[in-house]
Amino acid sequence: MCGIAGIVIPDGSPAEEQWVRRMTNRIAHRGPDANGFYVSGEAAFGHRRLSIIDLATGAQPMTNEDGSLWITYNGEVFNHADLRPELERAGHQYKSRSDTETVLHAYEQYGDQCVERFRGMFAFAIWDQSRKRLFCARDRLGIKPFYYFWNGRLFAFASEIKALFEHPDICAQANEKLLPEYLAFGYNGGEETLFAGIRKLMPGHTLTLTCGSKPSLEIRPYWDSPCPVEFESRTDKEWIAECRERLEDAVRTRLMSDVPLGMFLSGGVDSSAIAALMKRLTTGPVKTFAVGYSESDFSELPYARTVAERIGTEHHEVLVTMDDFFNALPKLVWHEDEPISWPSSVSLFFVARLAAEQVKVVLTGEGSDELFGGYARYRFYQLNQQWMNAYRGVPEGIRTGIRNMLSNQPGLSASLRRKLGHTVLGRAANIESLYLDNFYCAFGADEQKRLLTVHFDNDPYASFLKYWELAKRSPTLSRLLYADQKTYLVELLMKQDQMSMACSIESRVPFLDHHFVEFAASVPPHMKHRGGEAKYILKKAVEDLLPESIIYRKKLGFPTPIGTWLRQDRARPLMDYLRDPDGILAAYVNQDYLDDLLVKHDRGVHDATDRIWRLLNLQVWGDMYLTGRREQFWDGLMPVSASAAQTA
């Protein structure tokens, strides 16, 4: 796993080495083992290496036999050894054992279609010196990041956005029109980012820049998540057996490494199943790592311990305090480049830092929920759909009155109001209200009108609805999973990448092997949801590996006690920070509305945890990148206690 960066100036002007060096150095945490550069004419590449495969001879940027092609590459192509014999028979000469060289020779042999042969996670750029052509690609699911800037005169790319700002012609400016989508979802589901002019190459796409007097930039898809309309008729036993076989293959493939591996273990069925298979498929010890909190209601550590003891791993744990959490947040927002969508990202950083003390590669259980329908929202939405068909018989005026009463009735507790609000009683009949506002959005479109002092025309739901409509012929569950894989999952993977790479550690996601993803899409809905049980097929497939109490326990979803923390007196500095007139929020947020939101949350009238989290991260992001106050808040948002100061 590595960090890549590069510059191409299509009119033939020389690319200056100093800028690509600065870009590459900015992401040194992604590759502390080595760096390398290639500069020739209008192209300059940089690379930071985290050595995983072929430690001795896999240095980058790497060239082909005659020096006409150069590559800077981040990722792992797990089937590179299988591709090598055919390439050698075609006359390609290898100088290393690295997958990087296979990617380069595959491009020589198969052209742009080479990406269709790769099984793994990757983002790379290849410069064709003779053709003055740049070819870039990102893996099918978006496990590895690729950001770029293009203004018609300069093309620059990097693994992280912050590296791009090291070039003097690229500056950090807010992409204001994306604020509605961010406030709703916590991320942006399209190719734009919260920085004006900075885009991400979408998963399963390639990018080609052809230089000359009239340069052209072309982006093409090469893969898409399947979303079937019809499904094979097979027995439960057949489906379950194939699921197990394919999962074992995905895990086995991801054990490729010349350095020690470990596992992030939450104690849920997904990570536990991967850990159990790792233990069966390897001969050496398996190290597992877990994170938790002293607040027992929000800690999964006991479950992780149970699994570790059952399968026999070397288990390690870390506890995160409120001070740890909020004092790490500014640095982690800087690492992630954009506001952090979910509090679990912070937890992930701490467990990654723990793991980095002993291993350089970890496997994770990410992706299973988006393949097999693991989130409760999928089932609740389908139930609400059924109930809404009957509830539509009630006149719209009465339904509106009931919704208003639920949202403003002081006699109802915050908990009861929230629960009723998730049913058809508190919802309109469209998917925006019944699903997105209901289970995703911190600030829905209507609430944003009261929150924001600036009007934006952008539809916050547009990215999700685009993919929802593309799959309109498929069953409801398949449509929901497809749209989530194209939006929500991509952001989850960025969390996984940036938080692990902040600690110079590589994370691998067996569930997102594209062969396994294609299989999961082919599984009919009744094998994913059965009798109120989510991920039915997966749970059945791993019943011999894990205790029943682990497989069928209630899903917690990597919880954090942030809601509890935000009601403590010690959280007052955070509330004051949100009201800071010098922060980015002051330019967009109605102060009276913000004050009312914070007061109601503090009194327990409303649970505004998700909304406060969204605003807090936006404020931190502004200070890390836009307001010039980075140093002021770099060491954290919580005041240092007297005892801590004396200890220091």
Side-chain angles (χ1 to χ4, degrees), residues 96 214 248 365 553 570:
S96 72
K214 294 183 179 180
E248 287 188 7
R553 75 175 177 88
R570 295 186 59 246

Side-chain angles (χ1 to χ4, degrees), residues 381 427-439 441 459 461 465:
Y381 173 66
R427 296 285 133 198
N430 55 52
I431 189 173
E432 291 91 333
S433 176
L434 202 59
Y435 184 64
L436 298 179
D437 284 351
N438 205 5
F439 301 114
C441 297
D459 178 2
Y461 312 111
L465 293 178

Side-chain angles (χ1 to χ4, degrees), residues 306-611:
T306 297
V307 174
E309 291 170 4
R310 169 67 178 268
I311 64 178
T313 67
E314 294 183 11
H315 191 59
H316 309 271
E317 298 176 350
V318 61
L319 278 174
V320 180
T321 68
M322 181 179 178
D323 280 5
D324 293 334
F325 187 96
F326 288 110
N327 286 336
L329 188 59
K331 292 184 180 71
L332 300 187
V333 170
W334 180 84
H335 271 290
E336 192 145 320
D337 294 320
E338 296 184 280
I340 293 176
S341 300
W342 304 284
S344 57
S345 289
V346 182
S347 312
L348 180 60
F349 165 78
F350 281 99
V351 74
R353 190 172 69 176
L354 173 68
E357 296 173 1
Q358 301 195 44
V359 300
K360 295 180 77 169
V361 179
V362 292
L363 274 64
T364 81
E366 206 76 82
S368 170
D369 292 311
E370 294 78 19
L371 299 185
F372 297 110
Y375 301 121
R377 62 178 180 255
Y378 299 134
R379 185 166 60 90
F380 285 137
Y381 173 66
Q382 293 177 89
L383 289 173
N384 272 339
Q385 267 190 319
Q386 297 172 18
W387 296 333
M388 185 61 77
N389 290 335
Y391 191 52
R392 278 193 178 95
V394 177
E396 173 62 28
I398 296 177
R399 285 187 277 150
T400 301
I402 293 173
R403 287 201 303 274
N404 292 336
M405 181 191 71
L406 287 178
S407 61
N408 298 299
Q409 178 56 254
L412 299 176
S413 69
S415 176
L416 181 58
R417 186 185 297 111
R418 184 178 67 254
K419 290 176 181 177
L420 291 174
H422 283 306
T423 71
V424 295
L425 296 177
R427 296 285 133 198
N430 55 52
I431 189 173
E432 291 91 333
S433 176
L434 202 59
Y435 184 64
L436 298 179
D437 284 351
N438 205 5
F439 301 114
Y440 274 94
C441 297
F443 294 99
D446 290 339
E447 191 172 8
Q448 288 190 29
K449 294 175 183 176
R450 301 190 295 274
L451 170 72
L452 297 172
T453 57
V454 181
H455 174 71
F456 300 99
D457 292 328
N458 283 43
D459 178 2
Y461 312 111
S463 293
F464 182 93
L465 293 178
K466 169 186 172 183
Y467 297 109
W468 172 255
E469 288 302 314
L470 283 174
K472 62 184 177 183
R473 295 180 59 241
S474 296
T476 298
L477 179 59
S478 298
R479 293 180 73 183
L480 295 173
L481 295 175
Y482 176 78
D484 267 0
Q485 289 168 24
K486 306 298 283 188
T487 54
Y488 179 83
L489 179 59
V490 178
E491 183 64 25
L492 279 180
L493 293 172
M494 285 303 92
K495 171 193 79 172
Q496 190 78 235
D497 176 84
Q498 307 291 36
M499 293 302 98
S500 58
M501 291 307 294
C503 304
S504 305
I505 190 170
E506 172 180 311
S507 59
R508 298 176 178 177
V509 280
F511 281 113
L512 297 183
D513 178 280
H514 78 274
H515 294 310
F516 191 76
V517 172
E518 290 169 349
F519 162 74
S522 75
V523 173
H526 75 271
M527 290 299 299
K528 296 176 180 177
H529 283 184
R530 176 78 62 88
E533 194 68 57
K535 298 191 290 193
Y536 173 80
I537 184 175
L538 176 65
K539 292 174 179 179
K540 286 293 182 182
V542 299
E543 276 188 334
D544 64 314
L545 296 175
L546 302 167
E548 184 176 322
S549 60
I550 293 296
I551 294 176
Y552 293 103
R553 75 175 177 88
K554 182 180 178 181
K555 181 179 178 60
L556 293 181
F558 217 162
T560 58
I562 183 173
T564 302
W565 288 339
L566 290 175
R567 285 198 173 96
Q568 296 180 10
D569 288 341
R570 295 186 59 246
R572 296 198 180 280
L574 301 175
M575 305 302 129
D576 294 339
Y577 178 65
L578 288 170
R579 297 182 175 102
D580 191 334
D582 295 323
I584 191 174
L585 291 183
Y588 301 104
V589 170
N590 181 318
Q591 188 64 48
D592 291 337
Y593 181 87
L594 176 61
D595 287 339
D596 184 60
L597 179 74
L598 298 180
V599 168
K600 286 180 177 177
H601 178 81
D602 185 56
R603 293 176 179 172
V605 177
H606 287 308
D607 181 359
T609 302
D610 291 344
R611 285 169 284 179

Side-chain angles (χ1 to χ4, degrees), residues 107 112 114-115 124-127 133-137 206-209:
Y107 174 76
D112 297 1
C114 64
V115 290
F124 64 83
I126 294 175
W127 173 243
R133 183 179 189 264
L134 180 73
F135 177 74
C136 309
T206 63
L207 179 154
T208 304
L209 174 67

